[in-house]
Amino acid sequence: MTLRKRFTLFTIFWLIFILILFNIFVYFYVIKITTESEERVIGNKVNLMLENPLIQNGKGIYDPDLLSEYYNVNEMIRIVLPDNRVVNITGSDPVLLNLPVQFQNNHDTGMISKGNERILYMRVPIFDGSNLVAMLEVNRVLNELDDYLQILVAALTVTSAGAILFAIFGTYWFTSRLTAPMQQMVNTMREIDRSGKLRKIEPSSSEESAELQQLVRAFNQMIERLDRTFARQKQFVADASHELKTPLTVISSYAGMLKRWGRDDENVRNEAIEAIDRETTRLQSLTKSMLMLAEAEQEDWLRQELFDVVHVVNELAGMLQTTFQRTIRVKAMSKQVRLYGDKDKIRQLLVILLDNAIKYSKEPIEVSVSLMKNIVKIEVKDKGIGIPENEIPHMFERFYRVDGARSRATGGVGLGLSIAKRIVDLHEGKIDVFSLPDLGTTISIQFKQRK
C-alpha cells in the first residue's frame, strides 16, 4: 500500500472515530439538558398546583375543573388516592391514559418508555395538615423533544458525512502534493538506474514544506557526492591504468629482449634482469599503495585508542635514522602528548612524510610535537628542494607528482600523500603545506585532542 493511501485511510478512520465520539457526546448532552429543562417545567407546574388552596387542604381534589387550567396537550395529570383509586384526571393522549396507577407517598421523578415514546413523570404527595390524603401525578410525553432529537441526528449525520467526504478529497489532494517530491525522487532513481547517469531533482515549488525541501537538498547532495566519487573512481582507474602500463611495458620489452638476444649476450641479460627487477619492485609498491588507498576509503578503517604521540615520533625517528643514516631531530614541548586515534595509521602518516623529506633533502630533518588549547600539532620540516607554489594545491591528488622524472628516480608512485591526506581526514584533522623552491618544505598537521 502506498504512503498516500495509508495516510488517507489513517486520516479518514481517525476523523470518523473523532466524529462518532463527538456526535455521541452532542446527542447525550442535548438529551440531558433538554430533559432537565422538561423536568424544571413540570416541577414549576407542580409547585403552582400545590399552591392552589383547593389542593392544599385536600378537600378540592374532587373538583373536575381543578386540573383543566394546568392541562397541556402532551400531558396527563391525575390525583390518586392511597387505595390506587383515581379521583381526578385530565388528558387526551391514549398512551398516557393507559399508564398503570401506582400510589406513592414520597416525591418521585423519573423517565419511563412506553412503546416508542419516552414519558417523563413527577409524583408528589398531597397532605391535609399532617395527613396524607392523595398523590398528584404529572406525566408528559416527550414526542416533540424526540422529534427535535431526530432532526439533530439527521443534521449530525449529514454534516459528518460531508466532513468525511471533504476530508477524503482534501487529504488525497494534500498527500498528493506531500508525496510529489518523493515520487519525483523515485522516478529520478529509476531513470538513473535505467540510463546509468546521475541526475538531480529540481525543486518544484517554494511552497513545499521545510522537511521536503531538506529531503530534496539531501538527495541532491547525495547525487553530487556520488558524482564526485564516480569521477574520482574513473580518474583513479585511468591513472592506475597509466601507471601500471609503464612498468608492464618495460617488463614485457626486456622479457622479449631476453628471449631474442639475452641467452647469448651476458650484458643484455644482466641489463634486462636489473630492469625487470626494478620495475617489478615498483609495480609491487604501486599495487600495495593502491590497495592501501582503496582500504582507506572505508569508514571503519581506523582502530582508535589513546596513545602517546611523542613516543611514536621518537621511536620512528630512531628507526629511520638507523635505516637511512639521516639525522632526524625531534622537538616536543613535553615528554608526553596524548592523542585519541589510530596509532598505526598515525605512524604510517609520519612514515610517508618523513620518507618524502628524506628523499628530497640532504640536510637534517626536524619533527616538532606540541599541544596548545587541546590541539595536537605535528610539524615535519626539511631543507630540501622545496615545492613550487602553484603545485602545492595538487600535492594530495592521486598519482600526482611535482616532478615526474625526479619522482621516478626516487621510486615514488604518487599515492603516498593521498593516503596521508585520507588518514588526516578520517581523524578530522587538518594538514597544511608551506614550501619554497630550494629552501625546504614544512608540513603541519593538527588534530583535536579528544577523550
Side-chain angles (χ1 to χ4, degrees):
M1 186 181 294
T2 63
L3 179 62
R4 180 189 304 175
K5 290 182 179 178
R6 288 185 179 182
F7 188 81
T8 302
L9 290 176
F10 173 79
T11 303
I12 298 307
F13 287 146
W14 186 246
L15 177 62
I16 291 174
F17 177 72
I18 293 175
L19 287 175
I20 290 175
L21 293 181
F22 175 77
N23 291 343
I24 291 174
F25 170 78
V26 170
Y27 180 78
F28 285 103
Y29 182 73
V30 169
I31 289 178
K32 181 178 181 297
I33 61 175
T34 53
T35 302
E36 290 175 352
S37 176
E38 293 292 333
E39 287 179 355
R40 286 194 296 270
V41 171
I42 294 178
N44 293 334
K45 180 176 289 190
V46 168
N47 291 333
L48 287 175
M49 295 173 67
L50 292 177
E51 291 175 359
N52 191 316
L54 295 176
I55 295 179
Q56 281 183 344
N57 56 25
K59 297 179 180 179
I61 59 176
Y62 298 95
D63 186 353
D65 297 326
L66 174 64
L67 304 178
S68 59
E69 62 178 302
Y70 303 104
Y71 171 69
N72 191 294
V73 68
N74 61 340
E75 293 179 348
M76 184 270 288
I77 306 174
R78 63 188 176 184
I79 297 177
V80 182
L81 297 179
D83 58 0
N84 288 333
R85 186 162 52 90
V86 179
V87 296
N88 205 337
I89 186 171
T90 180
S92 59
D93 193 306
V95 175
L96 296 178
L97 293 174
N98 290 329
L99 291 176
V101 180
Q102 181 65 44
F103 179 83
Q104 290 184 213
N105 58 5
N106 60 330
H107 189 286
D108 185 25
T109 302
M111 180 86 67
I112 59 174
S113 297
K114 199 71 172 177
N116 295 326
E117 304 287 351
R118 292 187 307 134
I119 300 172
L120 184 65
Y121 69 85
M122 182 175 291
R123 299 164 185 162
V124 294
I126 300 175
F127 292 91
D128 181 8
S130 59
N131 297 322
L132 177 63
V133 296
M135 176 192 72
L136 174 63
E137 181 180 4
V138 180
N139 297 275
R140 170 176 286 202
V141 63
L142 302 179
N143 50 4
E144 292 184 2
L145 178 59
D146 290 340
D147 292 340
Y148 292 145
L149 288 176
Q150 291 179 1
I151 295 174
L152 175 64
V153 170
L156 290 176
T157 302
V158 171
T159 54
S160 298
I164 291 172
L165 289 175
F166 178 79
I168 290 174
F169 290 108
T171 304
Y172 193 81
W173 174 82
F174 175 74
T175 52
S176 298
R177 290 180 56 86
L178 183 66
T179 58
M182 300 180 190
Q183 186 61 43
Q184 186 181 3
M185 192 177 300
V186 171
N187 294 336
T188 303
M189 290 179 180
R190 289 175 178 170
E191 179 63 25
I192 291 173
D193 182 60
R194 185 189 63 82
S195 64
K197 296 181 179 179
L198 298 178
R199 292 176 52 192
K200 294 183 181 180
I201 295 178
E202 296 296 332
S204 58
S205 173
S206 59
E207 298 177 358
E208 293 177 353
S209 65
E211 291 80 4
L212 288 177
Q213 292 179 3
Q214 291 175 358
L215 180 63
V216 171
R217 284 197 295 268
F219 179 83
N220 289 339
Q221 289 172 0
M222 180 189 68
I223 293 297
E224 289 179 357
R225 183 176 179 182
L226 288 175
D227 198 17
R228 291 195 299 267
T229 301
F230 290 159
R232 286 199 300 267
Q233 287 180 346
K234 291 179 180 178
Q235 185 64 39
F236 179 78
V237 171
D239 292 341
S241 300
H242 176 74
E243 294 295 327
L244 291 171
K245 182 180 179 181
T246 301
L248 290 174
T249 301
V250 172
I251 292 173
S252 176
S253 300
Y254 275 100
M257 188 171 63
L258 275 175
K259 186 177 181 180
R260 290 191 296 270
W261 307 298
R263 293 187 179 92
D264 302 323
D265 191 333
E266 183 178 357
N267 293 330
V268 172
R269 186 169 60 249
N270 291 337
E271 179 185 353
I273 291 173
E274 289 179 4
I276 291 174
D277 180 69
R278 182 176 62 252
E279 293 301 323
T280 301
T281 302
R282 182 170 176 272
L283 190 60
Q284 289 175 340
S285 176
L286 176 61
T287 304
K288 181 180 178 180
S289 297
M290 289 170 60
L291 291 175
M292 186 181 300
L293 190 59
E295 183 184 0
E297 293 297 327
Q298 301 179 11
E299 297 297 330
D300 58 347
W301 190 46
L302 300 182
R303 299 291 182 269
Q304 302 193 62
E305 59 180 320
L306 194 62
F307 66 95
D308 181 14
V309 180
V310 177
H311 176 73
V312 172
V313 172
N314 284 328
E315 183 182 37
L316 183 61
M319 183 191 72
L320 293 178
Q321 281 187 118
T322 303
T323 303
F324 295 100
Q325 299 298 310
R326 292 286 302 277
T327 301
I328 301 177
R329 299 171 183 152
V330 179
K331 298 180 181 178
M333 63 174 295
S334 61
K335 294 183 178 180
Q336 190 179 67
V337 176
R338 310 285 285 179
L339 176 65
Y340 184 77
D342 191 319
K343 180 179 178 181
D344 293 335
K345 300 303 184 294
I346 297 297
R347 179 186 173 89
Q348 182 180 0
L349 165 67
L350 294 171
V351 168
I352 293 171
L353 299 182
L354 288 172
D355 183 63
N356 283 342
I358 291 171
K359 287 178 181 178
Y360 301 118
S361 69
K362 298 184 180 301
E363 300 293 327
I365 300 167
E366 295 181 0
V367 182
S368 63
V369 182
S370 61
L371 174 63
M372 185 176 295
K373 296 181 179 180
N374 293 326
I375 299 295
V376 177
K377 186 175 182 181
I378 305 173
E379 286 188 348
V380 178
K381 183 177 181 181
D382 66 64
K383 297 180 181 179
I385 59 178
I387 305 169
E389 184 177 358
N390 63 325
E391 303 280 359
I392 292 178
H394 306 286
M395 281 181 56
F396 301 103
E397 295 179 5
R398 297 172 181 177
F399 300 107
Y400 185 83
R401 297 186 182 89
V402 175
D403 187 332
R406 183 168 53 197
S407 295
R408 290 191 182 278
T410 56
V413 295
L415 288 177
L417 289 177
S418 296
I419 297 173
K421 181 66 165 56
R422 180 60 178 167
I423 293 174
V424 173
D425 290 341
L426 288 176
H427 284 83
E428 298 180 2
K430 179 182 178 183
I431 184 167
D432 295 306
V433 179
F434 308 94
S435 182
L436 290 174
D438 301 322
L439 293 179
T441 302
T442 300
I443 296 182
S444 174
I445 310 167
Q446 296 181 18
F447 299 105
K448 292 182 181 178
Q449 189 184 44
R450 298 175 295 171
K451 297 189 178 182

